[in-house]
Amino acid sequence: MTEKVNLTWNGKAIQAEKGSNLLKAALDNGIEVAHYCYHAGLSVAGVCRMCMVEQDGVPRPFPSCNATCGEGMVVRNDTPKIKSAVETTLQFHLLNHPLDCPVCDQAGECGLQDYYMKHGVYDSQMIDKKVHKEKVQDIGKNVMLDAERCILCSRCTRFTEEVTKTNELGILNRGDHAEITVNEQLKNDYAQNLVDICPVGALTSKDFRFKQRVWFLEEVQTTCIGCETGCAVKVSENKNGAFRVKPIYDHDVNGHWMCDDGRNIYKHVSSPTRLASATENINGLFVPADELAIQATLKGKKAKYILSTGLTVGEYANFFKAIKGSKAEVALYTLPNLGVEFDGLLKRGDKNPNLRGAKAAFEAAGFDHTQAALDKMLGSIASSDAVFVVVPEILYNEDHFNTLIKKVEKAGTRIALTPGETLGTLRSFNYLLPVPSFLEKNGEILNYQGAARTLRAGLSYGETSKDVSYYGKWVNV
Ligand code: SF4
Ligand code: SF4
Ligand code: FES
């Protein structure tokens, strides 16, 4: 167990881990301290000079991010001296800043805006012409740089140096001509974390900018289904759909970060081409169909189910409960590994979000989840069969899935249950049925560690789609 030390901050007794920095101790204890350059996932730079504190017995204020907690320390950041120091530093940061908040995508979640509002420092004190820098630079990987807005906190350069070790960014020149320099276009798979850690609107997401004002969005805390890691994420959305994904700190799984692939997992959910209701294929044209009528046409056929690895633990349990005692055959389709097994940071080649949950559910129900069992089922498909295929929500390798679909074509009736967009490859199916996406259901999936990760239904979707017994209703037709 980590040793704790006792200290007093603004007259309040707090505890902190021995050896941790003073700013972290304050933030962990809910004490507000202005800061730009400090980030818990990066080394300490101590360059923004916003986190100043006074300590009993120490003659001059100092930055709290660069000081270590000690037993019995008495610290304050609510004194007139500190308030004046923070305001002076803030004015320094505002000197050349364009203050273009009305057109800045960071407005509403900008550290500079927050503090100048709080301290009543609404404008730059600059009487000379401000130094102008390049405003709209595409620096790769969906990240845009506005050098004029940069306050040179160095979070981004430390990220590319310490986390991805790719060093695409640096700082060039001195004084008010210092600026972020792009040594080469961003090439790392975690680049969009730069947008999250930039405390101002200097780094913004090409994907998200100008789409929504953040005060019109609500956040749903859930889990990324992009690979077996299962990073903790929050999806920003409103009644018009989902707009972005950001990581949530999770000590045991993803720390502060997520990969760029995971930023795209929401896009199909509110896509206009996503299947909204049951459809039937009539001479190549998919027309709205009644689910009860579809069920009636399936009577007497032998049901074969090919499940994906994207169901929740609860959905698998419900499904197997529903088929208990029936003659239905069930097999599991797993997505092939993509790229390296593990990239050393977060990304895994295994793109099956709940592979462990699926295998456990198959075993508990006495079904074989192996590729051999799937091959056996595919080899025995006959025209009297009704084959249900649950389409994986994120298909990184459509060709691999198409090979499966080709083998299913021998079945007399083919029904696809899809949480994603309507794929061209499903044109040969008789019926397409929508099933809830990861943002429309509550439940758990098991990640590569076997740890339960929570999926939460978003705010803008109907209650009915959160019903985990959805898959069961197609059983025993
Ligand atoms: S671009 Fe953003 S993160 Fe990078 S130094 Fe400037 S303000 Fe800091
Ligand atoms: S590492 Fe995997 S789970 Fe994490 S954000 Fe990337 S795709 Fe999603
Ligand atoms: S947060 Fe301490 S100096 Fe920047």
Side-chain angles (χ1 to χ4, degrees), residues 359-413:
K359 284 182 176 175
F362 271 69
E363 282 162 17
F367 283 89
D368 189 346
H369 55 68
T370 62
Q371 180 65 41
L374 174 60
D375 290 341
K376 190 168 166 211
M377 178 195 278
L378 293 171
S380 68
I381 286 175
S383 58
S384 55
D385 291 340
V387 177
F388 294 80
V389 178
V390 178
V391 183
E393 188 155 353
I394 313 266
L395 263 182
Y396 286 102
N397 185 338
E398 237 177 270
D399 289 346
H400 189 270
F401 183 65
N402 291 349
T403 313
L404 172 87
I405 296 306
K406 284 261 163 301
K407 292 179 181 161
V408 169
E409 279 172 6
K410 280 174 272 167
T413 312

Side-chain angles (χ1 to χ4, degrees), residues 224 226-227 229-231 258-259 262 346-347:
C224 176
C227 80
T229 302
C231 295
M258 68 181 291
C259 80
L346 292 174
K347 260 172 82 164

Side-chain angles (χ1 to χ4, degrees), residues 106 139 143-146 156 169 194-195 198 200-205:
Q106 191 80 359
I139 61 169
V143 180
M144 303 297 288
L145 168 64
D146 182 326
C156 58
L169 304 177
L194 293 167
V195 173
C198 180
V200 295
L203 294 171
T204 52
S205 157

